[in-house]
Amino acid sequence: MDETGFPDESGAEAPGLMSGGGAAAAAPNDGAYRVLARKYRPKTFEDLVGQEPMVQTLENAFDTGRIAQAWMLTGVRGVGKTTTARILARGLNYEIPGAADKPTVKLTQEGTHCKAIMEGRHVDVIEMDAASHTGINDIREIIDAARYRPATARYKVYIIDEVHMLSNAAFNGLLKTLEEPPEHVKFIFATTEIRKVPITVLSRCQRFDLRRIEQSKLIGLLRRISDAEGIQITDEALMLIARAGEGSARDSLSLLDQAMAHGSGAIEADHLRQMLGLADRARVIDLFGHVMAGRIEEALGELQAQYEVGADPAIVLTDLADFTHLVTRMKVAPKSADESSVTEAERARGREYADELSVRLLSRAWQILLKGVQEVQAASKPLAAADMVLVRLAYAADLPDPGELMAQIRSGQTPMAGSVPSGGGSAPTGGGAQAMAVGMSHGSGGGGNGPTMQASARPQLSAIQGGMPAQQVSPQVAPQPDVQPAPAYNLKNLHDCAALASEKRDIPMKVAIQRQMRLVKFEPGKIEIQPTEDAPADITGEFGRKLTEWTGQRWFVVVSRNQGRPTIHEENEANQQQLLSDAKSHPTVASLLAAFPGAKVVDVTVKVSEEADAALADPMVSDPLLSEALGDDEDD
């Protein structure tokens, strides 16, 4: 093993890989190139990066002899689940004649079984991919073979990768052997979807959650591998790879492999951005300053410029959201600016933005960007979708939140119209907002130049620091158009409400009133109902909103615990049944039914008087459901 702590391609130790001057010697070449993720695959517990709690637990268990019969390794892709399983199998079967004869995590030398286990070809360490062996027959083979002792090793170890892909029958078939396996059998499971593993299986295993690798440790790992490969790479490029890897060692090494081929021995940050479609972090900060100051024209121009040099609009918005998150963290937890993953430009300018912007403003920007990234990823034209997200963000940057609007209303103030983002256009009408954003700009120099205060977009509005007004400004109230008053409705019961819904041509609400509401109490402005079992959960809120909209008056519809009257539909059905019963008992009808066997009364029509007929012409009572109440008792 070399000074960097990595084995060579052959898997054997490679002493002297690093010369005294620090120059990397050429790695042995067997004619086939091996990717970095395989070439520098960890072979001992010391090589595992970022998994110290698991290693400490295993070391204590091996020292005390408390060795479990099964382990469950879970984590995101590329954190080393399968590699850890092989190292664990090596530690269980570690053996050096005359030197080591028990399980251990101190794998200082290559033991009798180590090389075969790490290469996946040991007869007593059986690896199975559950994605391609999902059935009960595959598990039955394991159960049958587990009865026999290992051929050469101390334990027979079964490594099942992506175990969540097993079928329910396979899981059930494994339970008994998993709970009471032979003393010479150990199970190691690996999965990325721990929630899909039945709890009955989890309860029989020791679970280890392999954590994402921290960026600082991932950068150190990439630096050691780059030096071992003789690759010149800048610190900024390493940071970009570590960020793109998102805590996955395999993903990061794959990106480093790609960057080595792209850069031909020297990797620069600019070349890496072009390869990954990333935006310059300094330009992302510039874009953040434009949108938070309402400079929409400059913001759209900056996004267009980044797109022309190869930046993906979705990634630009993601980086913008990441910087928003960083500024928020700097505001609420200033020590987060000292993390090694934060560049000097982000640290300097992020602190200045954190001092100037309020948490409410940053939270609103985060919500808009989070939703905007999803929209851009799903859009057929990502650049156009990203433009609209920036427009939305710039215009929303100076809007007060609902709490501020309520405070203005309670104090008797008129909500003020928001300032127009510099770049043309008129302010949105009909809502009004007080200017909260401050004009920000930075020098044309490096990333250390932070934002400076400028005048607001409107001369009559003063600059406001941190999202709070510095001084009161006289409101500019636009003339309101003449609004025709809503017609007055005298609603006395649910019949009137159903008639109103019919007049407004809202058939679904009319049906809901007639069939899904049992009236408990009806007062002007307040209705208490008992919804039927098939009524929607939000029927009261929708009913109250519609009545308020139709009548121009505030209506509250609440659910009552008291028993309500039958629904309008139930009352009509009962009335109709009564009419049918009365008709059948009528002497004339009874004689007709007797004279014509098999005849029956199908329907009864009520004869309406002239006064009632005139009343029915009124649109307020034109619903056919109300006709029965206006007729006489004579039957046709």
Side-chain angles (χ1 to χ4, degrees):
M1 187 167 295
D2 65 354
E3 295 180 5
T4 62
F6 301 113
D8 66 357
E9 290 181 312
S10 63
E13 307 297 337
L17 180 61
M18 299 292 291
S19 63
N29 187 4
D30 58 1
Y33 177 73
R34 302 183 69 188
V35 297
L36 298 179
R38 293 187 58 197
K39 183 177 181 180
Y40 294 101
R41 198 171 194 171
K43 296 184 180 295
T44 66
F45 286 103
E46 288 77 7
D47 295 340
L48 293 176
V49 179
Q51 312 302 338
E52 291 79 7
M54 181 196 65
V55 175
Q56 183 64 45
T57 302
L58 291 175
E59 181 178 3
N60 295 337
F62 287 170
D63 290 343
T64 59
R66 298 178 179 272
I67 303 176
Q69 75 264 14
W71 292 271
M72 180 71 68
L73 306 179
T74 179
V76 297
R77 79 274 183 260
V79 294
K81 296 183 293 296
T82 305
T83 299
T84 303
R86 289 183 179 180
I87 297 175
L88 180 54
R90 178 187 176 187
L92 288 170
N93 291 314
Y94 189 68
E95 181 181 352
I96 298 178
D101 60 352
K102 67 176 184 177
T104 181
V105 298
K106 296 180 171 58
L107 309 176
T108 56
Q109 302 179 33
E110 186 177 280
T112 305
H113 312 285
C114 292
K115 184 175 181 180
I117 291 175
M118 296 308 297
E119 292 178 356
R121 55 181 177 83
H122 196 283
V123 67
D124 292 324
V125 179
I126 300 94
E127 295 190 26
M128 187 184 83
D129 180 18
S132 56
H133 301 80
T134 62
I136 183 61
N137 292 331
D138 301 299
I139 297 301
R140 187 177 292 115
E141 293 179 5
I142 294 178
I143 297 173
D144 294 340
R147 295 179 295 175
Y148 303 100
R149 298 191 64 85
T152 59
R154 182 180 301 110
Y155 293 105
K156 181 177 287 187
V157 182
Y158 291 94
I159 300 175
I160 303 181
D161 200 5
E162 300 300 333
V163 69
H164 66 274
M165 300 292 289
L166 291 178
S167 64
N168 291 332
F171 274 124
N172 294 331
L174 185 63
L175 287 179
K176 184 62 177 178
T177 304
L178 183 61
E179 184 173 11
E180 298 178 359
E183 60 180 9
H184 57 269
V185 174
K186 303 293 180 185
F187 291 95
I188 305 177
F189 304 126
T191 178
T192 55
E193 300 287 345
I194 190 65
R195 295 185 178 180
K196 294 183 180 180
V197 179
I199 190 64
T200 52
V201 174
L202 288 176
S203 62
R204 291 166 169 83
C205 305
Q206 281 191 3
R207 173 176 168 178
F208 291 114
D209 292 272
L210 303 187
R211 300 178 298 179
R212 292 179 184 268
I213 303 176
E214 298 178 4
Q215 283 195 8
S216 58
K217 295 182 178 180
L218 200 53
I219 291 173
L221 174 65
L222 296 174
R223 170 59 69 188
R224 293 195 299 272
I225 294 178
S226 301
D227 294 342
E229 290 291 316
I231 301 298
Q232 296 180 359
I233 183 170
T234 62
D235 293 338
E236 186 178 0
L238 285 176
M239 188 175 297
L240 291 176
I241 294 177
R243 282 178 174 170
E246 296 181 344
S248 170
R250 184 176 61 219
D251 290 2
S252 300
L253 291 177
S254 298
L255 291 174
L256 180 60
D257 225 336
Q258 182 180 352
M260 289 168 55
H262 182 78
S264 300
I267 303 176
E268 299 289 341
D270 293 338
H271 297 160
L272 195 61
R273 291 191 187 95
Q274 294 179 1
M275 183 188 78
L276 299 177
L278 300 177
D280 188 348
R281 300 295 292 184
R283 300 188 68 173
V284 170
I285 300 175
D286 294 344
L287 182 59
F288 179 84
H290 291 324
V291 294
M292 299 311 290
R295 297 191 294 269
I296 186 59
E297 184 175 356
E298 290 84 345
L300 296 180
E302 178 62 34
L303 177 61
Q304 179 67 33
Q306 295 185 29
Y307 178 76
E308 291 175 353
V309 297
D312 185 352
I315 296 181
V316 173
L317 291 187
T318 301
D319 291 343
L320 196 61
D322 290 341
F323 185 71
T324 304
H325 171 254
L326 177 62
V327 173
T328 306
R329 290 193 62 191
M330 288 182 177
K331 189 172 187 67
V332 299
K335 291 184 179 180
S336 59
D338 299 330
E339 297 178 358
S340 59
S341 60
V342 180
T343 64
E344 186 60 32
E346 292 174 331
R347 182 177 296 109
R349 298 179 62 184
R351 282 173 174 166
E352 297 185 6
Y353 283 123
D355 293 338
E356 300 296 337
L357 300 176
S358 66
V359 175
R360 287 175 293 186
L361 187 61
L362 293 170
S363 299
R364 183 186 301 149
W366 167 261
Q367 294 173 356
I368 294 175
L369 288 170
L370 199 64
K371 180 65 175 177
V373 171
Q374 300 175 0
E375 295 177 358
V376 173
Q377 291 174 343
S380 57
K381 295 182 179 181
L383 181 60
D387 284 343
M388 297 307 296
V389 173
L390 294 185
V391 171
R392 187 190 315 161
L393 184 61
Y395 272 81
D398 62 347
L399 292 179
D401 58 25
E404 293 178 349
L405 288 176
M406 291 300 298
Q408 294 179 13
I409 294 174
R410 290 193 184 100
S411 62
Q413 301 179 15
T414 302
M416 299 177 57
S419 61
V420 182
S422 57
S426 59
T429 61
Q434 194 167 0
M436 293 189 352
V438 292
M440 299 180 184
S441 67
H442 56 83
S444 59
N449 295 331
T452 57
M453 305 298 295
Q454 291 183 347
S456 179
R458 277 189 174 182
Q460 71 270 20
L461 298 180
S462 61
I464 300 171
Q465 186 175 11
M468 298 299 294
Q471 62 183 26
Q472 296 292 336
V473 185
S474 300
Q476 300 291 333
V477 180
Q480 299 295 330
D482 294 335
V483 179
Q484 296 295 332
Y489 294 94
N490 185 18
L491 304 180
K492 298 180 180 180
N493 48 45
L494 289 184
H495 290 275
D496 296 344
C497 296
L500 180 58
S502 178
E503 178 186 347
K504 298 298 183 180
R505 301 184 181 276
D506 192 334
I507 304 304
M509 180 54 65
K510 175 184 176 182
V511 173
I513 296 172
Q514 293 174 341
R515 296 176 179 265
Q516 297 176 341
M517 300 183 188
R518 295 188 173 96
L519 181 62
V520 176
K521 188 176 182 181
F522 196 102
E523 297 178 353
K526 182 179 180 181
I527 305 175
E528 296 183 17
I529 65 171
Q530 181 190 30
T532 60
E533 295 180 355
D534 60 338
D538 60 342
I539 186 172
T540 56
E542 183 69 10
F543 185 29
R545 187 184 66 80
K546 290 292 182 67
L547 287 180
T548 302
E549 177 183 345
W550 293 337
T551 64
Q553 303 172 359
R554 190 65 178 269
W555 284 85
F556 294 95
V557 181
V558 297
V559 176
S560 176
R561 296 183 179 179
N562 299 326
Q563 181 63 36
R565 297 173 52 187
T567 64
I568 295 177
H569 178 71
E570 292 171 346
E571 290 180 349
N572 293 337
E573 289 289 330
N575 293 336
Q576 188 67 14
Q577 292 297 327
Q578 183 63 38
L579 289 175
L580 287 173
S581 177
D582 294 342
K584 292 178 182 179
S585 62
H586 195 280
T588 303
V589 176
S591 60
L592 288 174
L593 293 176
F596 298 95
K600 60 180 180 180
V601 179
V602 177
D603 194 10
V604 177
T605 302
V606 179
K607 183 178 180 180
V608 182
S609 62
E610 295 181 358
E611 293 79 1
D613 193 13
L616 286 175
D618 190 343
M620 288 297 295
V621 293
S622 61
D623 196 322
L625 296 174
L626 305 180
S627 60
E628 299 174 8
L630 301 177
D632 54 22
D633 295 334
E634 296 184 3
D635 299 330
D636 289 342

